[in-house]
Amino acid sequence: DTVLATQKAVKTYVGTATTAVKAAGQIYLSAAGMWPSTTAGMTHGKAETATNKQNYYKLDADDTGGKVYAEGTLVMPSDWNAGTLTASFYWTSSSASTAGVVWGLQGRSYSDNDSIDQAFGTAVEVTDAGLGTTGKVHVSSATAAITLAGTPAAGGLLALRCYRDSGNGSDTLAATASLLGVMVTFTRT
């Protein structure tokens, strides 16, 4: 009886622990699938490396002393819990500086019959330092939790707007930072 009770307790604990841990999901939004905002937009382009002829799309965020934007949309998976997101920024620069770049992301969720002309949610930023060598891929830390405007739902359409804020005191890179893409992380149900 004691052995049977212990086995039941272990099964209950394992079952509870397994359901409490939710796997994170990730979606990569490439610069090739984004566009410069019409107002204060980044510059969209393509580049090729000198030696191995690697081609890639990029969104150039100049050191303008303010925010420059790019946008993209994606449809969230059916197993999204409709909660907050985080974002990591993939970028490069032709500068050999170790100065910082401030990246930000904000978003809105849309459902059927929603008006498109609505405000984004509150932006969340992260600062990432240059690597001191040109031609390197930089990957920022994840932002804090990003709350979307609208009524998020699994399978919903998200409009995401990212930016570089070179007017922020923590953005000290006196050069163009080229956004390669954004990794969006979410929680599954």
Side-chain angles (χ1 to χ4, degrees):
D1 287 335
T2 306
V3 171
L4 184 57
T6 303
Q7 288 174 340
K8 285 182 183 177
V10 169
K11 284 182 184 177
T12 301
Y13 173 76
V14 170
T16 303
T18 302
T19 57
V21 176
K22 303 292 182 186
Q26 293 185 309
I27 301 173
Y28 183 73
L29 188 56
S30 168
M34 296 167 54
W35 52 88
S37 298
T38 300
T39 302
M42 296 181 191
T43 304
H44 201 252
K46 190 174 87 167
E48 181 178 77
T49 62
T51 304
N52 293 302
K53 308 302 182 199
Q54 291 281 350
N55 284 258
Y56 58 94
Y57 281 98
K58 62 191 178 97
L59 288 153
D60 288 336
D62 295 333
D63 179 29
T64 61
K67 293 179 182 174
V68 288
Y69 300 92
E71 301 176 38
T73 58
L74 55 89
V75 173
M76 292 302 286
S78 60
D79 64 347
W80 175 39
N81 76 347
T84 59
L85 310 173
T86 62
S88 295
F89 297 86
Y90 288 65
W91 62 284
T92 189
S93 178
S94 59
S95 171
S97 175
T98 58
V101 174
V102 174
W103 296 105
L105 185 79
Q106 58 193 147
R108 175 160 200 97
S109 180
Y110 291 94
S111 299
D112 185 35
N113 203 31
D114 280 350
S115 173
I116 293 175
D117 189 11
Q118 297 190 59
F120 288 100
T122 303
V124 178
E125 298 177 342
V126 65
T127 303
D128 195 37
L131 298 173
T133 306
T134 61
K136 298 285 186 176
V137 174
H138 302 66
V139 181
S140 77
S141 298
T143 62
I146 300 166
T147 301
L148 302 168
T151 307
L157 175 70
L158 301 189
L160 299 175
R161 180 167 69 171
C162 60
Y163 62 86
R164 176 189 179 188
D165 186 2
S166 62
N168 185 307
S170 296
D171 190 312
T172 54
L173 180 69
T176 298
S178 298
L179 183 66
L180 303 174
V182 180
M183 181 67 79
V184 176
T185 301
F186 61 95
T187 303
R188 298 179 187 278
T189 56

